[in-house]
């Protein structure tokens, strides 16, 4: 069995079908590319073949390149290996594009068309772009585009060069720089594909049998080709390139090597003939691949994220898919959890203490679904079906038959204990009970349960429908089946799980709080707040610490600070943070929801600049720190805490630590996560920097013993702790 097979019919059409054995979605491997190349040679050489149609044997066309293969090219052959691998793909796709054409007369090519039954991403679109005409099935669920930038690379198999020459740099920009995906109808109006039809294979067959020589000449292979939208040195092209550079820098702050390299490939490629442009594209692609950032991003955002979603850390237990879910508390979190579950086809009972509150919780789903209808992503029938799955009530008897409960009532041990008992009185003996608490130890809450081995934490992030991470927390007594149930539930609602052990603030909040605190502490020290916020963004954090605490609210910060102080007593080391935080709260500046925090907000709640009285309250020091000093404080505050979580056994798998950090609180994605970042620095350098920070700013930066030991032994986190590698060994 091979990835591509070919059938020739009596009319002279060679149908090449891509169908990778044993996978639900096609991905391209180097072996697959070699097979395809052989089939194309065969069909071009066969006089009986008049035209070629390339399609898929699956419901979709292809998901792209096998990213494991790209990572492998780098491991095996370094920069030369990557460059040679990419040039091989260019030769193959160029062979398809030229299809035997005489370069002088531009005649004699054989028509080649692509027939896409569904989704076509990455090289799954770059291959069709090299054919002469692209037919897609009229399938609104299909996604068509080049999402490479999302995992830290860019389309490097001709997608960049072809799309820019097809659409012009301006129109290609959102597709290349943002990885924007379109359904077939939109892809057609954007000019990415040519036809949307009921039966793409039949339409493609007809087309190849009737195509003329002129249909087979790509504009860039014809004489006098002019770049759509203008070449870089034309007045319009110049504006585009300058604007794009500014936009990319504004969005990425210069920390994502792929976006910069992509722009360089576009700009330099546009100045030279097509084949040279492909070579330039391959060089920049290699450059990006050799940057550790891209390897780390691929590892965390693609390979490990997928491994966790597929249950890399699932205990061995029979399928625990949820059929009927009970949600206790229909507030902000409960309403969101009910929505994502109902949307995934699960029946939901949504309980609150008054019918009004329960109904309000359900109407949250109505709101999201109506927005979907407005955007034509949802239909009235589908909306009715999803809402029909949610029963909003005050009656605990309705929980009868629920196999999973997620509790999201007030953050109060007593209230949570009461609802746990009331629910357990009704639900089946073997049901699993989960709490969405963000601060209370799972072990303490499990005391209210008659079945602590069936009690677990399932911690969602707000807003539930948008945030992709779910943190699953094992209490000391939590059993394997509860973990499997939580993981199966997270898989059903299509989110990414991490599994951690019970400890103060679990994993994500444990790391994000020191980040926020470090920012606030610096304000108190007289560091310019603008420097704090910009330093964070220039390090690739989506939000500066002051904006983040405004979003999560100052009063929540105060509440957490008070509870932490009570729990830690004399060991509490954040007085300097509290001095600032409590003064903000006393001034009524509770953050975004109050329309006043570290930032000012207009009447409509839109964030303006930083509050102009910050300087009067905490006068800026005459001597401001270096940018990198501020960045190191903000980054180490998070990364050292992640190491402590690993050291303490809260984290059991660094893959979860890295994926969880990016998805949970936006830890600078270009690093691949805190462990990826520390590996990039190297343990000796990380220890040296942390020691220096500790000497200047306090013991909170003292390197954990584990990091010191790794520095001495010359180890990396992924060398020492990578479970993928351990399993393979
Ligand atoms: P919320 O105040 O919006 O909602 C709580 C809901 O529980 C309210 O509707 C309330 O009426 C209901 N409730 C209270 N007592 C009840 C009872 N005895 N029976 C039934 N319903 C009752 O709070 P929230 O922000 O949705 O938080 C809920 C839980 O989720 C808390 O444990 C919180 O720590 C946790 N959490 C919150 C966030 C967040 O960002 N807000 C994030 C993760 C976890």
């Amino acid at each position: 069995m091979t990835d591509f097979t070919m059938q020739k019919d009596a009319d002279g059409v060679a149908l090449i079908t891509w169908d990778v054995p044993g996978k639900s979605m096609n991905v391209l491997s180097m072996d697959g590319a070699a097979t395809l190349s052989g089939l194309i040679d065969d069909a071009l050489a066969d006089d009986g073949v008049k035209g070629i149609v390339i399609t898929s044997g699956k419901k979709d066309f292809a998901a792209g390149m096998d990213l494991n293969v790209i990572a492998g090219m780098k491991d095996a052959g370094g920069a030369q290996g990557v460059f040679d691998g990419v040039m091989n793909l260019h030769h193959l796709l160029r062979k398809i594009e030229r299809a035997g054409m005489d370069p002088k007369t531009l005649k004699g090519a054989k028509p080649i068309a692509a027939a896409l039954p569904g989704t076509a991403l990455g090289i799954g679109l770059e291959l069709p772009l090299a054919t002469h005409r692209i037919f897609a099935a009229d399938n609104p669920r299909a996604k068509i585009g080049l999402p490479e930038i999302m995992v830290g690379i860019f389309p490097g198999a001709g997608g960049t060069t072809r799309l820019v020459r097809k659409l012009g740099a301006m129109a290609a920009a959102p597709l290349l720089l943002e990885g924007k995906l379109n359904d077939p109808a939109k892809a057609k109006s954007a000019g990415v594909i040519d036809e949307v039809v009921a039966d793409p294979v039949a339409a493609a067959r007809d087309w190849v049998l009737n195509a003329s020589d002129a249909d087979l000449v790509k504009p860039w292979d014809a004489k006098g080709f002019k770049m759509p939208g203008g070449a870089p040195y034309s007045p319009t092209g110049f504006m585009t390139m300058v604007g794009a550079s500014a936009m990319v820098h504004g969005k990425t702050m210069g920390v994502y090597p792929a976006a910069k390299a992509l722009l360089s490939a576009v700009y330099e490629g546009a100045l030279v003939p097509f084949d040279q442009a492909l070579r330039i594209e391959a060089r920049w692609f290699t450059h990006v691949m050799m940057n550790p950032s891209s390897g780390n991003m691929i590892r965390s955002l693609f390979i490990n994220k997928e491994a966790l979603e597929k249950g890399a850390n699932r205990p061995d237990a029979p399928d625990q898919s949820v059929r009927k879910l009970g949600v206790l508390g229909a507030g902000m979190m409960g309403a969101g959890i009910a929505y994502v579950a109902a949307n995934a086809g699960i029946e939901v009972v949504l309980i609150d203490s008054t019918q009004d509150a329960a109904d309000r919780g359900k109407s949250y789903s109505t709101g999201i679904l109506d927005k979907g209808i407005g955007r034509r992503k949802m239909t009235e029938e589908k909306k009715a079906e999803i809402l029909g799955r949610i029963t909003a009530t005050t009656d605990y008897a309705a929980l009868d038959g629920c196999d999973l409960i997620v509790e999201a009532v007030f953050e109060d041990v007593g209230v949570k204990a009461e609802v746990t008992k009331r629910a357990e009185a009704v639900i089946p003996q073997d049901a699993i009970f989960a709490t969405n608490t963000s601060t209370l130890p799972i072990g303490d809450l499990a005391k209210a349960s008659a079945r602590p081995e069936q009690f677990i934490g399932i911690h969602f992030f707000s807003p539930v429908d948008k945030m992709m991470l779910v943190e699953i927390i094992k209490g000391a007594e939590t059993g394997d089946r509860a973990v499997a149930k939580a993981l199966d539930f997270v898989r059903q609602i299509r989110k990414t799980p991490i599994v951690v052990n019970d400890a103060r603030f679990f994993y994500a909040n444990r790391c994000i709080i020191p980040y926020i605190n470090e920012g606030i502490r610096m304000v108190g020290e007289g560091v310019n707040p603008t420097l704090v916020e910009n330093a964070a963004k220039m390090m690739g954090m989506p939000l500066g610490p002051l904006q983040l605490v405004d979003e999560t609210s100052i009063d929540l910060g105060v509440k957490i600070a008070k509870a932490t102080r009570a729990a830690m007593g004399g060991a509490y080391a954040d007085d300097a943070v509290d001095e600032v935080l409590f003064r903000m709260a006393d001034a009524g500046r509770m953050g975004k929801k109050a329309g006043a925090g570290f930032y000012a907000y207009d009447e409509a709640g839109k964030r303006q600049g930083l509050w102009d009285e910050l300087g009067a309250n905490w006068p800026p020091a005459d001597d401001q720190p270096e940018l990198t000093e501020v960045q190191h404080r903000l980054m180490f505050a998070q990364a050292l805490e992640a190491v402590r979580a690993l050291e303490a056994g809260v984290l059991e798998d660094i893959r979860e630590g890295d994926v969880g950090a990016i998805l949970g609180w936006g830890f600078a994605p270009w690093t691949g996560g805190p462990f990826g970042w520390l590996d990039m620095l190297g343990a000796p350098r990380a220890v040296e920097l942390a020691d220096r920070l500790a000497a200047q700013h306090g013991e909170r930066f003292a390197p954990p013993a584990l990091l010191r030991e790794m520095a001495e032994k010359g180890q990396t986190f992924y060398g020492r702790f990578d479970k993928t590698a351990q399993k393979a060994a």
Side-chain angles (χ1 to χ4, degrees):
M1 286 217 289
T2 57
D3 293 2
F4 291 88
T5 50
M6 181 161 71
Q7 277 175 318
K8 299 173 185 169
D9 70 16
D11 295 334
V13 175
L15 182 69
I16 296 180
T17 305
W18 190 358
D19 198 352
V20 179
K23 292 213 176 198
S24 59
M25 189 68 136
N26 289 324
V27 287
L28 193 69
S29 65
M30 282 314 189
D31 285 349
T35 311
L36 176 62
S37 182
L39 296 178
I40 297 286
D41 287 339
D42 171 339
L44 291 179
D46 184 341
D47 289 341
V49 171
K50 297 197 184 96
I52 303 167
V53 173
I54 304 175
T55 190
S56 156
K58 307 196 190 290
K59 70 179 175 30
D60 289 309
F61 186 66
M65 194 74 195
D66 185 340
L67 287 178
N68 290 296
V69 171
I70 304 191
M73 288 194 304
K74 175 176 161 184
D75 294 343
Q80 193 65 47
V82 175
F83 181 76
D84 292 346
V86 173
M87 284 310 292
N88 265 337
L89 285 175
H90 280 326
H91 291 312
L92 165 62
L93 297 188
R94 201 62 178 127
K95 178 163 70 186
I96 290 171
E97 190 158 57
R98 305 288 292 200
M101 179 185 294
D102 177 333
K104 287 217 176 86
T105 62
L106 300 183
K107 292 203 160 90
K110 278 188 187 173
I112 304 185
L116 316 179
T119 290
L121 302 176
I123 198 149
L125 178 59
E126 290 179 297
L127 165 59
L129 282 171
T131 66
H132 304 122
R133 203 154 180 88
I134 307 174
F135 296 82
D138 187 7
N139 169 0
R141 285 179 170 269
K143 294 196 177 97
I144 294 180
L146 299 168
E148 284 86 341
I149 202 85
M150 309 301 286
V151 288
I153 54 178
F154 71 88
T160 298
T161 301
R162 285 195 175 84
L163 215 55
V164 167
R165 275 170 163 71
K166 201 168 169 168
L167 309 179
M170 182 75 104
L175 303 165
L176 295 171
L177 283 170
E178 294 163 27
K180 192 170 187 295
L181 307 182
N182 285 310
D183 63 26
K186 287 214 189 85
K188 183 179 172 206
S189 54
V192 177
I193 63 168
D194 302 299
E195 306 271 0
V196 179
V197 293
D199 183 347
V201 173
R205 276 185 94 263
D206 276 357
W207 187 84
V208 296
L209 288 173
N210 294 298
S212 69
D213 276 336
D215 292 332
L216 312 184
V217 183
K218 287 290 174 71
W220 42 91
D221 283 328
K223 276 218 172 64
F225 168 69
K226 285 219 165 47
M227 187 70 78
Y233 284 127
S234 69
T236 49
F238 182 76
M239 297 293 283
T240 305
M241 292 313 295
V242 170
S245 297
M247 189 193 90
V248 165
H249 201 78
K251 279 199 171 171
T252 65
M253 297 283 174
V255 287
Y256 291 87
K260 256 187 183 170
L262 167 67
L263 267 193
S264 299
V266 168
Y267 175 79
E268 293 166 19
L271 298 170
V272 296
F274 186 80
D275 285 296
Q276 236 167 310
L278 288 180
R279 232 180 141 71
I280 289 172
E281 187 192 286
R283 288 234 161 97
W284 278 113
F285 185 82
T286 306
H287 172 85
V288 166
M289 283 302 296
M290 296 315 289
N291 187 311
S293 167
S294 73
N296 283 8
M297 280 180 82
I298 291 176
R299 181 173 62 202
S300 288
L301 291 172
F302 178 78
I303 298 173
N304 289 344
K305 177 173 169 290
E306 195 174 277
L308 297 179
E309 285 162 2
K310 285 191 173 159
N313 291 325
R314 187 185 186 279
D316 198 10
D319 179 28
Q320 298 290 324
S321 296
V322 178
R323 293 176 310 281
K324 185 175 174 188
L325 173 74
V327 178
L328 311 184
M332 185 164 89
M333 298 304 287
I337 296 163
Y339 166 73
V340 294
N343 191 37
I346 300 169
E347 194 188 335
V348 180
V349 177
L350 180 59
I351 294 214
D352 209 297
S353 32
T354 65
Q355 187 61 42
D356 237 24
D359 289 340
R360 229 177 304 124
K362 180 170 174 177
S363 70
Y364 177 76
S365 292
T366 316
I368 298 183
L369 293 165
D370 282 342
K371 260 193 209 150
I373 292 176
R375 287 200 208 110
R376 303 215 272 143
K377 298 236 174 267
M378 179 56 52
T379 60
E380 288 290 349
E381 300 79 70
K382 193 95 207 287
K383 170 185 158 189
E385 188 189 317
I386 293 169
L387 289 178
R389 289 195 197 106
I390 304 178
T391 307
T393 177
T394 57
D395 182 8
Y396 278 69
L399 297 175
D400 187 23
C402 283
D403 49 318
L404 176 69
I405 300 289
V406 176
E407 169 277 301
V409 297
F410 296 142
E411 190 74 338
D412 179 286
V413 180
V415 178
K416 287 189 187 295
E418 185 211 321
V419 299
T420 305
K421 291 200 168 81
R422 284 184 72 183
E424 283 190 355
V426 183
I427 57 178
Q429 280 292 320
D430 62 352
I432 301 295
F433 190 102
T435 171
N436 180 47
T437 181
S438 28
T439 57
L440 304 170
I442 303 303
D444 288 359
L445 297 179
K447 287 186 189 137
S449 169
R451 312 187 273 265
E453 74 288 351
Q454 287 163 231
F455 194 97
I456 193 164
I458 302 185
H459 181 216
F460 284 86
F461 294 81
S462 173
V464 176
D465 57 305
K466 298 230 169 64
M467 296 296 287
M468 293 314 292
L469 187 73
V470 179
E471 196 172 19
I472 295 171
I473 304 115
K474 294 186 280 190
E477 295 183 67
T478 302
D480 278 356
R481 199 171 61 79
V483 177
K485 184 94 191 172
L487 282 167
D488 290 356
F489 175 52
V490 174
R491 182 177 37 73
Q492 281 175 288
I493 58 175
R494 291 185 289 277
K495 294 197 183 282
T496 309
I498 62 171
V499 183
V500 302
N501 286 306
D502 196 10
R504 173 172 294 280
F505 301 135
F506 317 131
Y507 173 61
N509 286 342
R510 173 185 183 138
C511 298
I512 193 70
I513 291 170
Y515 169 68
I516 291 177
N517 283 354
E518 203 58 30
I520 296 177
R521 194 188 303 268
M522 283 194 256
V523 172
E525 288 172 10
V527 178
N528 192 329
T530 312
L531 175 57
V532 173
E533 293 293 87
N534 284 340
K537 289 200 195 137
M538 289 167 79
M539 203 63 199
M541 294 297 296
L543 302 185
L546 305 177
Q547 188 185 343
L548 188 58
V549 71
D550 263 13
E551 305 258 336
T552 52
S553 92
I554 307 278
D555 40 333
L556 180 65
V558 168
K559 210 171 142 195
I560 290 175
K562 285 186 177 159
T564 311
R565 179 192 291 275
M568 295 182 72
Y572 188 72
D574 288 330
D575 291 322
V577 178
D578 293 354
E579 191 279 320
V580 178
L581 194 67
F582 290 19
R583 206 185 317 165
M584 292 293 285
D586 289 344
R589 300 194 72 88
M590 296 304 189
K592 187 176 178 182
K593 66 175 182 190
F598 283 97
Y599 283 83
Y601 298 83
D602 68 9
E603 306 268 288
K606 192 159 184 277
R607 190 166 48 86
Q608 309 293 303
L610 281 154
W611 180 33
D612 55 13
E613 284 182 41
L614 282 178
N617 277 280
W618 297 282
D622 291 338
D623 262 349
Q624 289 294 315
E626 292 284 330
L627 173 68
T628 44
E629 161 96 4
V630 177
Q631 290 179 321
H632 281 151
R633 286 180 70 173
L634 294 172
M635 291 294 274
F636 275 102
Q638 306 168 71
L640 294 177
E641 204 53 46
V643 176
R644 288 184 202 113
L646 177 69
E647 202 171 36
V650 174
L651 268 182
E652 294 181 352
D653 184 340
I654 55 169
R655 296 179 297 178
E656 294 180 313
D658 273 349
V659 174
I662 299 175
L663 299 188
W665 75 90
F667 185 91
W670 65 270
T671 62
F675 296 104
W677 183 63
L678 290 171
D679 276 356
M680 266 194 245
L681 282 178
R685 173 101 177 112
V687 165
E688 185 193 320
L689 288 170
D691 272 335
R692 201 185 305 158
L693 288 174
Q696 278 175 5
H697 303 289
E699 273 304 291
R700 64 189 179 283
F701 288 112
L706 170 64
L707 190 62
R708 232 180 248 294
E709 182 197 318
M710 288 173 54
E712 276 155 21
K713 293 185 176 159
Q715 291 173 328
T716 61
F717 283 98
Y718 277 88
R720 176 164 166 171
F721 294 106
D722 188 357
K723 292 220 171 159
T724 329
Q726 285 165 10
K727 268 186 194 158

